[in-house]
């Protein structure tokens, strides 16, 4: 899955980009990993926790914090998906 980077460095554009990317990976990770008890599920759970922190930060207009949380969350979702192959 690829996402073109935003055309500008504006905070709102970066936030929107990271949220869209996170939404997509969250959807796929949740569908693929499910409710397992092993490592992929633990990575998925951590990704969900960071996503929720990002949404709360976004709602409180703490955009830089939200961006960081969405980026980290996305990495956990990607790791959860990749861990299924191991």
């Amino acid at each position: 899955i690829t996402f073109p980077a935003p055309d500008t460095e504006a905070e709102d554009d970066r936030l929107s980009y990271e949220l869209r990317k996170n939404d997509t990976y969250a959807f796929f990770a949740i569908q693929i990993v499910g409710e397992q008890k092993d490592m992929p599920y633990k990575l998925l759970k951590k990704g969900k926790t960071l996503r929720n922190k990002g949404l709360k930060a976004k709602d409180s207009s703490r955009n830089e914090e939200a961006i960081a949380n969405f980026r980290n969350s996305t990495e956990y979702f990607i790791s959860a998906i990749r861990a299924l192959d191991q």
Side-chain angles (χ1 to χ4, degrees):
I1 303 171
T2 59
F3 291 86
D7 292 336
T8 67
E9 285 298 314
E11 191 174 79
D12 288 344
D13 291 339
R14 290 186 303 130
L15 178 61
S16 177
Y17 166 79
E18 292 298 338
L19 181 57
R20 277 193 328 270
K21 186 174 176 181
N22 187 264
D23 283 344
T24 301
Y25 278 104
F27 173 78
F28 285 115
I30 290 166
Q31 297 301 311
I32 294 170
V33 173
E35 299 267 337
Q36 302 175 21
K37 298 290 183 206
D38 55 1
M39 184 54 69
Y41 180 71
K42 290 177 184 176
L43 294 168
L44 174 66
K45 191 173 173 181
K46 180 67 175 174
K48 286 180 179 181
T49 298
L50 288 168
R51 176 180 169 75
N52 288 336
K53 286 182 181 181
L55 292 171
K56 287 179 185 176
K58 179 183 173 284
D59 290 344
S60 298
S61 298
R62 299 186 322 265
N63 291 345
E64 287 298 325
E65 181 181 339
I67 290 168
N69 280 313
F70 290 139
R71 281 184 183 156
N72 290 329
S73 171
T74 299
E75 289 304 315
Y76 274 99
F77 291 143
I78 291 169
S79 295
I81 293 167
R82 287 183 178 157
L84 290 171
D85 288 335
Q86 298 175 359

Coordinates of all heavy atoms in Angstrom, one line a residue:
I1 N 0.9 -1.2 0.0 CA 0.0 0.0 0.0 C 0.9 1.2 0.0 O 1.8 1.3 0.8 CB -0.9 0.0 1.2 CG1 -1.7 -1.3 1.3 CG2 -1.8 1.2 1.2 CD1 -2.5 -1.4 2.6
T2 N 0.6 2.1 -0.9 CA 1.4 3.4 -0.9 C 0.5 4.6 -0.8 O -0.6 4.6 -1.2 CB 2.2 3.5 -2.3 OG1 1.3 3.5 -3.3 CG2 3.2 2.4 -2.4
F3 N 1.1 5.6 -0.2 CA 0.4 6.8 0.0 C 1.3 8.0 -0.4 O 2.4 8.1 0.1 CB 0.0 7.0 1.5 CG -1.0 6.1 2.0 CD1 -0.6 4.8 2.5 CD2 -2.3 6.4 2.0 CE1 -1.6 3.9 2.9 CE2 -3.3 5.5 2.5 CZ -2.9 4.3 2.9
P4 N 0.8 8.8 -1.4 CA 1.7 9.9 -1.8 C 1.8 10.9 -0.6 O 0.8 11.2 0.0 CB 0.9 10.5 -3.0 CG -0.4 9.8 -3.1 CD -0.4 8.6 -2.2
A5 N 3.0 11.4 -0.4 CA 3.2 12.3 0.6 C 2.4 13.6 0.3 O 2.2 13.9 -0.8 CB 4.7 12.6 0.8
P6 N 2.0 14.3 1.4 CA 1.3 15.6 1.1 C 2.2 16.6 0.4 O 3.4 16.6 0.5 CB 1.0 16.1 2.5 CG 1.8 15.3 3.5 CD 2.2 14.1 2.8
D7 N 1.6 17.5 -0.4 CA 2.3 18.4 -1.2 C 2.9 19.5 -0.4 O 3.8 20.2 -0.9 CB 1.3 19.1 -2.3 CG 0.9 18.0 -3.3 OD1 1.6 17.1 -3.5 OD2 -0.2 18.3 -3.9
T8 N 2.4 19.7 0.8 CA 2.9 20.8 1.6 C 3.3 20.3 2.9 O 3.0 19.1 3.3 CB 1.8 21.9 1.8 OG1 0.8 21.3 2.6 CG2 1.2 22.4 0.5
E9 N 4.0 21.1 3.7 CA 4.4 20.7 5.0 C 3.5 21.3 6.1 O 3.8 21.3 7.3 CB 5.9 21.2 5.3 CG 6.9 20.3 4.6 CD 6.9 18.9 5.1 OE1 6.8 18.6 6.3 OE2 6.9 18.0 4.2
A10 N 2.3 21.8 5.6 CA 1.3 22.3 6.6 C 0.9 21.2 7.5 O 0.7 20.1 7.2 CB 0.1 22.9 5.8
E11 N 0.8 21.6 8.8 CA 0.4 20.7 9.8 C -0.9 19.9 9.6 O -1.0 18.7 9.8 CB 0.3 21.4 11.2 CG 0.2 20.5 12.4 CD 0.3 21.3 13.7 OE1 -0.7 21.9 14.0 OE2 1.4 21.3 14.3
D12 N -1.9 20.7 9.1 CA -3.2 20.1 8.8 C -3.1 19.0 7.7 O -3.7 17.9 7.8 CB -4.2 21.1 8.4 CG -4.7 22.0 9.5 OD1 -4.5 21.6 10.7 OD2 -5.3 23.0 9.3
D13 N -2.3 19.3 6.7 CA -2.1 18.3 5.6 C -1.3 17.1 6.1 O -1.7 15.9 5.7 CB -1.3 18.9 4.4 CG -2.1 20.0 3.7 OD1 -3.3 20.0 3.8 OD2 -1.4 20.8 3.0
R14 N -0.3 17.2 6.9 CA 0.4 16.1 7.5 C -0.5 15.3 8.4 O -0.5 14.1 8.3 CB 1.6 16.6 8.3 CG 2.7 17.1 7.3 CD 4.0 17.5 8.1 NE 3.8 18.4 9.2 CZ 4.2 18.3 10.4 NH1 4.9 17.2 10.8 NH2 3.9 19.2 11.3
L15 N -1.3 15.9 9.2 CA -2.2 15.2 10.1 C -3.2 14.4 9.3 O -3.5 13.2 9.5 CB -3.0 16.2 11.0 CG -4.0 15.6 11.9 CD1 -3.3 14.6 12.9 CD2 -4.7 16.7 12.7
S16 N -3.8 15.0 8.2 CA -4.8 14.3 7.4 C -4.1 13.1 6.7 O -4.7 12.0 6.7 CB -5.3 15.3 6.3 OG -6.2 14.6 5.5
Y17 N -2.9 13.3 6.2 CA -2.1 12.2 5.6 C -1.9 11.0 6.5 O -2.2 9.9 6.2 CB -0.8 12.8 5.0 CG 0.2 11.7 4.6 CD1 0.1 11.1 3.4 CD2 1.2 11.4 5.5 CE1 1.0 10.1 3.0 CE2 2.2 10.4 5.1 CZ 2.0 9.8 3.9 OH 3.0 8.8 3.5
E18 N -1.4 11.4 7.7 CA -1.1 10.3 8.7 C -2.4 9.6 9.2 O -2.4 8.4 9.4 CB -0.3 10.9 9.9 CG 1.1 11.3 9.6 CD 2.0 10.3 9.1 OE1 1.8 9.1 9.3 OE2 3.0 10.6 8.4
L19 N -3.5 10.3 9.3 CA -4.7 9.7 9.7 C -5.3 8.8 8.7 O -5.7 7.7 9.0 CB -5.7 10.8 10.1 CG -7.1 10.3 10.6 CD1 -6.9 9.4 11.8 CD2 -8.0 11.5 10.9
R20 N -5.2 9.2 7.4 CA -5.7 8.4 6.3 C -4.9 7.1 6.2 O -5.4 6.0 6.0 CB -5.6 9.1 5.0 CG -6.8 10.0 4.7 CD -6.8 10.5 3.2 NE -5.6 10.6 2.6 CZ -4.8 11.8 2.5 NH1 -5.3 12.8 3.2 NH2 -3.7 11.8 1.9
K21 N -3.6 7.2 6.3 CA -2.7 6.1 6.2 C -3.0 5.1 7.4 O -3.1 3.9 7.2 CB -1.2 6.6 6.3 CG -0.2 5.5 6.1 CD 1.2 6.2 6.0 CE 2.3 5.1 5.9 NZ 3.6 5.7 5.8
N22 N -3.1 5.7 8.6 CA -3.4 4.9 9.8 C -4.7 4.2 9.7 O -4.8 3.0 10.0 CB -3.3 5.8 11.0 CG -3.4 5.0 12.3 OD1 -4.5 4.9 12.9 ND2 -2.3 4.4 12.8
D23 N -5.7 4.9 9.2 CA -7.1 4.3 9.0 C -7.0 3.0 8.1 O -7.6 2.0 8.4 CB -8.0 5.2 8.3 CG -8.6 6.3 9.2 OD1 -8.5 6.1 10.4 OD2 -9.1 7.3 8.7
T24 N -6.2 3.1 7.0 CA -6.1 2.0 6.1 C -5.4 0.8 6.7 O -5.9 -0.3 6.7 CB -5.3 2.5 4.8 OG1 -6.1 3.5 4.2 CG2 -5.2 1.3 3.8
Y25 N -4.2 1.1 7.3 CA -3.5 0.0 8.0 C -4.3 -0.6 9.2 O -4.2 -1.8 9.4 CB -2.1 0.4 8.4 CG -1.1 0.4 7.2 CD1 -0.8 1.5 6.5 CD2 -0.7 -0.8 6.7 CE1 0.1 1.5 5.5 CE2 0.2 -0.9 5.6 CZ 0.6 0.3 5.0 OH 1.4 0.2 3.9
A26 N -5.0 0.2 9.9 CA -5.8 -0.3 11.0 C -6.8 -1.2 10.5 O -7.0 -2.3 11.1 CB -6.4 0.9 11.8
F27 N -7.5 -0.9 9.4 CA -8.5 -1.7 8.9 C -7.9 -3.1 8.5 O -8.5 -4.1 8.9 CB -9.2 -1.1 7.6 CG -10.1 -2.0 6.9 CD1 -11.4 -2.2 7.4 CD2 -9.7 -2.6 5.7 CE1 -12.3 -3.0 6.7 CE2 -10.5 -3.4 5.1 CZ -11.8 -3.7 5.5
F28 N -6.9 -3.1 7.7 CA -6.3 -4.3 7.3 C -5.7 -5.2 8.4 O -5.9 -6.4 8.4 CB -5.2 -4.1 6.2 CG -5.7 -3.7 4.9 CD1 -5.5 -2.5 4.3 CD2 -6.5 -4.6 4.1 CE1 -6.0 -2.1 3.1 CE2 -7.0 -4.3 2.9 CZ -6.8 -3.0 2.4
A29 N -5.1 -4.5 9.3 CA -4.5 -5.3 10.5 C -5.6 -5.9 11.3 O -5.5 -7.1 11.7 CB -3.6 -4.4 11.3
I30 N -6.7 -5.2 11.6 CA -7.8 -5.7 12.4 C -8.4 -6.9 11.6 O -8.8 -7.9 12.2 CB -8.8 -4.6 12.7 CG1 -8.2 -3.6 13.7 CG2 -10.1 -5.2 13.2 CD1 -8.9 -2.3 13.9
Q31 N -8.6 -6.8 10.3 CA -9.2 -7.8 9.5 C -8.4 -9.1 9.5 O -8.9 -10.2 9.5 CB -9.6 -7.3 8.1 CG -10.6 -6.2 8.0 CD -11.9 -6.6 8.7 OE1 -12.4 -7.6 8.3 NE2 -12.4 -5.8 9.5
I32 N -7.1 -8.9 9.3 CA -6.2 -10.0 9.1 C -5.7 -10.7 10.4 O -5.7 -11.9 10.5 CB -4.9 -9.5 8.3 CG1 -5.4 -9.1 6.9 CG2 -3.9 -10.6 8.2 CD1 -4.3 -8.4 6.1
V33 N -5.4 -9.9 11.4 CA -4.9 -10.5 12.6 C -5.9 -11.1 13.5 O -5.8 -12.1 14.1 CB -4.0 -9.4 13.4 CG1 -3.6 -9.9 14.8 CG2 -2.8 -8.9 12.6
G34 N -7.0 -10.4 13.7 CA -8.1 -10.9 14.5 C -7.8 -10.9 16.0 O -7.0 -10.0 16.5
E35 N -8.3 -11.8 16.7 CA -8.1 -11.9 18.2 C -7.2 -13.0 18.7 O -7.5 -13.7 19.6 CB -9.5 -12.0 18.8 CG -10.5 -11.0 18.5 CD -10.5 -9.9 19.6 OE1 -10.1 -10.1 20.7 OE2 -10.9 -8.7 19.2
Q36 N -6.1 -13.0 18.0 CA -5.1 -14.1 18.4 C -4.4 -13.7 19.7 O -4.4 -12.5 20.2 CB -4.0 -14.2 17.3 CG -4.6 -14.6 16.0 CD -3.5 -14.6 14.9 OE1 -2.3 -14.7 15.2 NE2 -3.9 -14.5 13.7
K37 N -3.7 -14.6 20.3 CA -3.0 -14.4 21.6 C -1.5 -14.3 21.4 O -0.8 -14.0 22.4 CB -3.3 -15.5 22.6 CG -4.8 -15.7 22.9 CD -5.2 -14.5 23.8 CE -6.7 -14.8 24.2 NZ -7.4 -13.6 24.5
D38 N -1.0 -14.4 20.2 CA 0.4 -14.4 20.0 C 0.9 -13.0 19.6 O 0.2 -12.0 19.7 CB 0.8 -15.4 19.0 CG 0.0 -15.3 17.7 OD1 -0.8 -14.4 17.5 OD2 0.3 -16.1 16.8
M39 N 2.1 -12.9 19.1 CA 2.8 -11.6 18.8 C 2.0 -10.7 17.9 O 1.9 -9.5 18.2 CB 4.2 -11.9 18.3 CG 5.0 -10.6 18.1 SD 5.1 -9.5 19.5 CE 6.1 -10.4 20.6
P40 N 1.4 -11.2 16.8 CA 0.7 -10.3 15.9 C -0.4 -9.5 16.7 O -0.6 -8.3 16.5 CB 0.1 -11.2 14.8 CG 1.1 -12.3 14.7 CD 1.5 -12.5 16.1
Y41 N -1.1 -10.2 17.5 CA -2.2 -9.6 18.3 C -1.7 -8.6 19.2 O -2.3 -7.5 19.4 CB -3.1 -10.7 19.0 CG -4.2 -10.0 19.8 CD1 -5.3 -9.5 19.1 CD2 -4.1 -9.9 21.2 CE1 -6.3 -8.9 19.9 CE2 -5.1 -9.3 21.9 CZ -6.2 -8.8 21.2 OH -7.2 -8.2 21.9
K42 N -0.5 -8.9 19.9 CA 0.0 -7.9 20.8 C 0.5 -6.6 20.1 O 0.3 -5.5 20.6 CB 1.3 -8.5 21.5 CG 0.9 -9.6 22.5 CD 2.1 -10.2 23.1 CE 1.7 -11.4 24.1 NZ 2.8 -12.0 24.6
L43 N 1.0 -6.8 18.9 CA 1.4 -5.6 18.1 C 0.1 -4.8 17.6 O 0.1 -3.6 17.7 CB 2.2 -6.1 16.8 CG 3.6 -6.7 17.1 CD1 4.1 -7.3 15.9 CD2 4.5 -5.6 17.7
L44 N -0.9 -5.5 17.3 CA -2.2 -4.9 16.9 C -2.7 -4.1 18.0 O -3.2 -3.0 17.9 CB -3.2 -6.0 16.4 CG -4.6 -5.5 16.1 CD1 -4.6 -4.5 14.9 CD2 -5.5 -6.7 15.9
K45 N -2.7 -4.7 19.2 CA -3.3 -4.0 20.4 C -2.5 -2.8 20.7 O -3.1 -1.7 21.0 CB -3.2 -5.0 21.6 CG -3.9 -4.6 22.8 CD -3.9 -5.7 23.8 CE -4.5 -5.2 25.1 NZ -4.5 -6.2 26.2
K46 N -1.2 -2.8 20.6 CA -0.3 -1.6 20.8 C -0.7 -0.5 19.8 O -0.7 0.7 20.1 CB 1.1 -2.0 20.8 CG 2.1 -0.8 21.0 CD 2.0 -0.3 22.4 CE 3.0 0.8 22.6 NZ 2.9 1.5 23.9
G47 N -0.8 -1.0 18.6 CA -1.2 0.0 17.5 C -2.6 0.7 17.8 O -2.7 1.9 17.6
K48 N -3.5 -0.1 18.3 CA -4.8 0.5 18.6 C -4.7 1.5 19.7 O -5.4 2.5 19.7 CB -5.8 -0.6 19.0 CG -6.3 -1.5 17.9 CD -7.3 -2.5 18.5 CE -7.9 -3.4 17.5 NZ -8.8 -4.4 18.1
T49 N -3.9 1.2 20.7 CA -3.7 2.1 21.9 C -3.1 3.4 21.4 O -3.6 4.5 21.8 CB -2.8 1.4 22.9 OG1 -3.4 0.2 23.4 CG2 -2.5 2.4 24.1
L50 N -2.1 3.3 20.6 CA -1.5 4.6 20.0 C -2.4 5.3 19.1 O -2.5 6.5 19.1 CB -0.2 4.2 19.3 CG 1.0 3.8 20.2 CD1 2.1 3.2 19.3 CD2 1.5 5.0 21.0
R51 N -3.2 4.6 18.4 CA -4.2 5.2 17.5 C -5.2 6.0 18.4 O -5.6 7.2 18.1 CB -5.0 4.2 16.7 CG -6.1 4.8 15.8 CD -6.8 3.7 15.0 NE -8.0 4.2 14.4 CZ -8.0 5.0 13.4 NH1 -6.9 5.4 12.8 NH2 -9.2 5.3 12.9
N52 N -5.7 5.4 19.5 CA -6.6 6.1 20.3 C -6.0 7.3 21.0 O -6.7 8.4 21.1 CB -7.2 5.2 21.4 CG -8.1 4.1 20.8 OD1 -8.7 4.3 19.8 ND2 -8.2 3.0 21.5
K53 N -4.7 7.3 21.3 CA -4.0 8.4 21.9 C -3.9 9.5 20.8 O -4.1 10.7 21.1 CB -2.6 8.0 22.3 CG -2.6 7.3 23.6 CD -1.2 7.0 24.1 CE -1.2 6.2 25.4 NZ 0.2 5.9 25.8
G54 N -3.7 9.1 19.6 CA -3.6 10.1 18.5 C -5.0 10.7 18.2 O -5.0 12.0 18.0
L55 N -6.1 10.0 18.3 CA -7.4 10.6 18.1 C -7.7 11.6 19.2 O -8.3 12.6 18.9 CB -8.5 9.5 18.0 CG -8.4 8.6 16.8 CD1 -9.3 7.4 16.9 CD2 -8.7 9.4 15.5
K56 N -7.4 11.2 20.4 CA -7.6 12.1 21.6 C -6.8 13.4 21.4 O -7.3 14.5 21.7 CB -7.3 11.5 22.9 CG -8.3 10.4 23.3 CD -7.9 9.8 24.6 CE -8.9 8.6 24.9 NZ -8.5 7.9 26.1
A57 N -5.5 13.3 21.0 CA -4.7 14.4 20.8 C -5.2 15.3 19.6 O -5.3 16.5 19.8 CB -3.2 14.0 20.5
K58 N -5.7 14.7 18.6 CA -6.3 15.4 17.5 C -7.5 16.2 17.9 O -7.7 17.4 17.6 CB -6.7 14.4 16.3 CG -7.4 15.1 15.2 CD -7.8 14.0 14.2 CE -8.6 14.6 13.0 NZ -10.0 14.9 13.4
D59 N -8.4 15.5 18.7 CA -9.6 16.2 19.2 C -9.3 17.4 20.1 O -10.1 18.3 20.3 CB -10.5 15.2 20.0 CG -11.1 14.2 19.0 OD1 -11.1 14.4 17.8 OD2 -11.6 13.1 19.5
S60 N -8.1 17.3 20.8 CA -7.6 18.4 21.7 C -6.7 19.4 20.9 O -6.1 20.2 21.6 CB -6.9 17.8 22.9 OG -7.8 17.0 23.6
S61 N -6.7 19.3 19.6 CA -5.8 20.2 18.8 C -4.3 20.1 19.1 O -3.6 21.1 18.9 CB -6.3 21.6 18.9 OG -7.6 21.7 18.4
R62 N -3.9 19.0 19.6 CA -2.5 18.7 19.8 C -2.0 18.0 18.6 O -1.7 16.8 18.7 CB -2.2 18.0 21.1 CG -2.7 18.8 22.4 CD -2.3 18.1 23.7 NE -2.4 16.7 23.7 CZ -3.5 16.0 24.2 NH1 -4.6 16.6 24.6 NH2 -3.5 14.7 24.2
N63 N -1.9 18.7 17.5 CA -1.7 18.0 16.2 C -0.3 17.3 16.1 O -0.2 16.2 15.5 CB -1.9 19.0 15.1 CG -3.3 19.4 14.9 OD1 -4.2 18.8 15.5 ND2 -3.5 20.5 14.2
E64 N 0.8 17.9 16.6 CA 2.1 17.3 16.5 C 2.1 16.0 17.2 O 2.6 15.0 16.8 CB 3.2 18.2 17.0 CG 3.5 19.3 16.0 CD 4.0 18.9 14.7 OE1 4.7 17.8 14.6 OE2 3.7 19.5 13.7
E65 N 1.5 16.0 18.4 CA 1.4 14.7 19.2 C 0.5 13.7 18.5 O 0.8 12.5 18.4 CB 0.7 15.1 20.6 CG 0.6 13.9 21.5 CD -0.1 14.2 22.8 OE1 0.0 15.4 23.2 OE2 -0.6 13.3 23.5
A66 N -0.6 14.1 17.9 CA -1.4 13.2 17.1 C -0.7 12.6 15.9 O -0.8 11.4 15.7 CB -2.7 14.0 16.6
I67 N 0.1 13.4 15.2 CA 0.8 12.9 14.1 C 1.8 11.9 14.5 O 1.9 10.8 13.9 CB 1.6 14.1 13.4 CG1 0.5 15.0 12.6 CG2 2.6 13.6 12.4 CD1 1.1 16.3 12.1
A68 N 2.5 12.1 15.6 CA 3.5 11.2 16.1 C 2.8 9.9 16.5 O 3.3 8.8 16.2 CB 4.3 11.8 17.3
N69 N 1.7 10.0 17.2 CA 1.0 8.8 17.6 C 0.5 8.0 16.4 O 0.5 6.7 16.4 CB -0.2 9.1 18.6 CG 0.3 9.3 20.0 OD1 1.1 8.6 20.5 ND2 -0.1 10.4 20.6
F70 N -0.1 8.7 15.4 CA -0.6 8.0 14.2 C 0.6 7.3 13.5 O 0.4 6.1 13.0 CB -1.3 8.9 13.2 CG -2.6 9.4 13.8 CD1 -3.0 10.7 13.6 CD2 -3.5 8.5 14.4 CE1 -4.2 11.2 14.1 CE2 -4.7 9.0 14.9 CZ -5.1 10.3 14.7
R71 N 1.7 7.9 13.4 CA 2.9 7.3 12.7 C 3.3 6.0 13.5 O 3.6 5.0 12.8 CB 4.1 8.3 12.7 CG 4.0 9.3 11.6 CD 5.2 10.2 11.5 NE 5.0 11.2 10.5 CZ 5.6 12.3 10.5 NH1 6.5 12.6 11.4 NH2 5.4 13.2 9.5
N72 N 3.4 6.1 14.8 CA 3.9 5.0 15.5 C 2.8 3.9 15.5 O 3.2 2.7 15.4 CB 4.1 5.4 17.0 CG 5.4 6.2 17.1 OD1 6.3 6.1 16.4 ND2 5.3 7.1 18.1
S73 N 1.6 4.2 15.5 CA 0.5 3.3 15.4 C 0.5 2.5 14.1 O 0.4 1.3 14.1 CB -0.9 4.0 15.6 OG -1.9 3.1 15.3
T74 N 0.7 3.3 13.0 CA 0.8 2.7 11.7 C 1.9 1.6 11.7 O 1.8 0.6 11.1 CB 1.0 3.7 10.6 OG1 -0.2 4.6 10.7 CG2 1.1 3.1 9.2
E75 N 3.1 2.0 12.2 CA 4.2 1.1 12.3 C 3.9 -0.2 13.0 O 4.3 -1.3 12.6 CB 5.5 1.7 12.8 CG 6.1 2.8 11.9 CD 6.4 2.3 10.5 OE1 7.0 1.1 10.5 OE2 6.1 2.9 9.6
Y76 N 3.1 -0.1 14.1 CA 2.7 -1.3 14.8 C 1.7 -2.1 14.0 O 1.8 -3.4 14.0 CB 2.1 -0.9 16.2 CG 3.1 -0.8 17.3 CD1 3.6 0.5 17.7 CD2 3.6 -1.9 17.9 CE1 4.5 0.6 18.6 CE2 4.6 -1.8 18.9 CZ 5.0 -0.5 19.3 OH 6.0 -0.4 20.3
F77 N 0.8 -1.5 13.3 CA -0.1 -2.2 12.4 C 0.6 -3.0 11.3 O 0.4 -4.1 11.1 CB -1.2 -1.3 11.8 CG -2.1 -0.7 12.8 CD1 -2.6 0.6 12.7 CD2 -2.6 -1.5 13.8 CE1 -3.5 1.1 13.6 CE2 -3.6 -1.0 14.7 CZ -4.0 0.3 14.6
I78 N 1.6 -2.3 10.7 CA 2.4 -2.9 9.7 C 3.2 -4.1 10.3 O 3.3 -5.2 9.7 CB 3.4 -1.9 9.0 CG1 2.6 -0.9 8.2 CG2 4.4 -2.6 8.2 CD1 3.4 0.3 7.7
S79 N 3.8 -3.9 11.5 CA 4.5 -5.0 12.1 C 3.6 -6.2 12.4 O 4.0 -7.4 12.3 CB 5.2 -4.5 13.4 OG 6.1 -3.6 13.1
A80 N 2.4 -5.9 12.9 CA 1.4 -7.0 13.1 C 1.1 -7.8 11.9 O 1.1 -9.0 11.9 CB 0.1 -6.4 13.7
I81 N 0.9 -7.1 10.8 CA 0.6 -7.8 9.5 C 1.9 -8.7 9.1 O 1.7 -9.8 8.7 CB 0.3 -6.8 8.4 CG1 -1.1 -6.2 8.8 CG2 0.2 -7.5 7.1 CD1 -1.4 -4.9 7.9
R82 N 3.0 -8.1 9.2 CA 4.3 -8.8 8.8 C 4.5 -10.0 9.8 O 5.1 -11.0 9.3 CB 5.4 -7.9 8.9 CG 5.4 -6.9 7.7 CD 6.7 -6.0 7.7 NE 6.7 -5.1 6.6 CZ 7.3 -4.0 6.5 NH1 8.0 -3.6 7.5 NH2 7.2 -3.2 5.4
A83 N 4.2 -9.9 11.0 CA 4.4 -10.9 12.0 C 3.6 -12.2 11.7 O 4.0 -13.3 12.1 CB 4.1 -10.5 13.4
L84 N 2.6 -12.1 10.9 CA 1.8 -13.2 10.5 C 2.6 -14.2 9.6 O 2.3 -15.4 9.6 CB 0.5 -12.8 9.8 CG -0.5 -12.1 10.7 CD1 -1.7 -11.6 9.8 CD2 -1.1 -13.1 11.7
D85 N 3.5 -13.7 8.9 CA 4.3 -14.5 8.0 C 5.4 -15.3 8.7 O 6.1 -16.1 8.2 CB 5.0 -13.6 6.9 CG 4.0 -13.2 5.9 OD1 2.9 -13.8 5.8 OD2 4.2 -12.1 5.3
Q86 N 5.7 -14.9 10.0 CA 6.8 -15.6 10.7 C 6.3 -16.8 11.5 O 5.3 -17.0 11.8 CB 7.4 -14.6 11.7 CG 8.0 -13.4 10.9 CD 8.5 -12.3 11.8 OE1 8.4 -12.4 13.1 NE2 9.0 -11.3 11.3

